[in-house]
Amino acid sequence: DLFLRDNCLFKLDSIVFLNLYNLTNLDLSFNVFVRFKSEYLNHFTRRNLKKLNLANNNLINLDCDIFSNLNSLEFLTLENNFIKTFHPYCFQNLTKLRHLNLNNNFNLKLEMPNNNVNNTLINLFKDVRELYLRNTSYQLLGLLDFRGKITLDLSLNEIDMKILQKIPVNSIRFLYLSNLRYRDFNVLLFNPIR
């Protein structure tokens, strides 16, 4: 494990992680990255990195290739940044991703090339088991296809119940809906699972 938190880092040399073949957990939280480049992570191709923590930085957007080499990544924490847009392809190679935390990235939007929403999003987070979208924008939820049980946190959001109704109830393990600003609240959404 390598913990580089609270160091006021805003830039890394592209070879900084060159010989860290067995690194499984990289914590870069509480730094001041505004843009995190994929070249910082290039040396993790097909390697063992399982956890990446970029929480509490100043990230604004996620480029399409930012995580392209992190095939083994299971836990990704991006909470408490200023991420406004992300390209759907930035997560496409994260086939083992199980935990994604995007909490407190207010006004988070999906950047869609060529208006190809349906084909791209259907598989975006299909294997994620914990998705944290507290205090974010979550319009993409109605298009996601969850396979298996998921823990989903939508607290501190303005909720349109029509979007929530598109998520199969039998896909929800835990659903967090605290401190909501809601429209069209429908109690029928919470019928017991049989």
Side-chain angles (χ1 to χ4, degrees):
D1 293 356
L2 178 59
F3 298 94
L4 295 172
R5 55 188 295 148
D6 287 312
N7 283 302
C8 294
L9 296 172
F10 64 92
K11 184 178 179 183
L12 295 172
D13 190 303
S14 63
I15 61 167
V16 71
F17 303 120
L18 180 62
N19 293 315
L20 300 177
Y21 302 113
N22 295 319
L23 185 66
T24 59
N25 183 6
L26 177 59
D27 187 340
L28 292 164
S29 62
F30 293 95
N31 283 294
V32 290
F33 290 106
V34 172
R35 182 163 185 243
F36 197 81
K37 298 180 181 180
S38 62
E39 67 189 48
Y40 301 156
L41 303 170
N42 278 345
H43 301 290
F44 291 112
T45 306
R46 293 178 188 76
R47 300 261 169 68
N48 296 324
L49 190 67
K50 305 268 189 233
K51 295 180 182 180
L52 176 61
N53 187 346
L54 291 169
N56 298 291
N57 276 281
N58 296 315
L59 296 173
I60 295 173
N61 67 357
L62 301 177
D63 294 336
C64 66
D65 63 346
I66 188 170
F67 307 119
S68 60
N69 293 325
L70 303 181
N71 303 15
S72 297
L73 198 67
E74 295 176 13
F75 294 86
L76 178 58
T77 304
L78 295 163
E79 71 179 319
N80 298 321
N81 278 288
F82 300 98
I83 301 170
K84 292 191 188 271
T85 60
F86 71 90
H87 194 285
Y89 300 127
C90 74
F91 297 108
Q92 99 177 348
N93 290 333
L94 302 180
T95 56
K96 294 184 179 178
L97 188 67
R98 298 298 177 263
H99 173 102
L100 177 59
N101 188 335
L102 289 164
N103 284 344
N104 300 313
N105 283 287
F106 192 67
N107 289 326
L108 183 66
K109 300 262 189 290
L110 181 67
E111 176 185 302
M112 285 308 304
N114 305 323
N115 294 323
N116 191 11
V117 176
N118 289 332
N119 294 337
T120 305
L121 282 178
I122 291 298
N123 293 314
L124 190 57
F125 302 123
K126 70 177 189 262
D127 293 316
V128 171
R129 294 295 161 255
E130 297 178 28
L131 181 58
Y132 297 93
L133 296 171
R134 175 184 291 259
N135 199 25
T136 63
S137 177
Y138 62 92
Q139 293 91 341
L140 57 105
L141 274 178
L143 299 169
L144 297 179
D145 181 16
F146 299 116
R147 307 215 175 127
K149 298 285 188 182
I150 186 166
T151 296
L152 183 59
D153 186 352
L154 298 173
S155 300
L156 294 168
N157 278 298
E158 183 173 332
I159 296 289
D160 182 344
M161 295 316 257
K162 292 174 187 167
I163 291 175
L164 279 180
Q165 288 173 335
K166 293 180 181 180
I167 299 172
V169 177
N170 60 353
S171 294
I172 303 293
R173 174 180 283 147
F174 297 106
L175 180 61
Y176 298 97
L177 298 172
S178 62
N179 297 309
L180 296 177
R181 299 171 307 277
Y182 56 88
R183 299 184 301 229
D184 303 324
F185 188 76
N186 184 350
V187 174
L188 295 177
L189 174 71
F190 302 104
N191 279 339
I193 300 171
R194 294 188 178 93

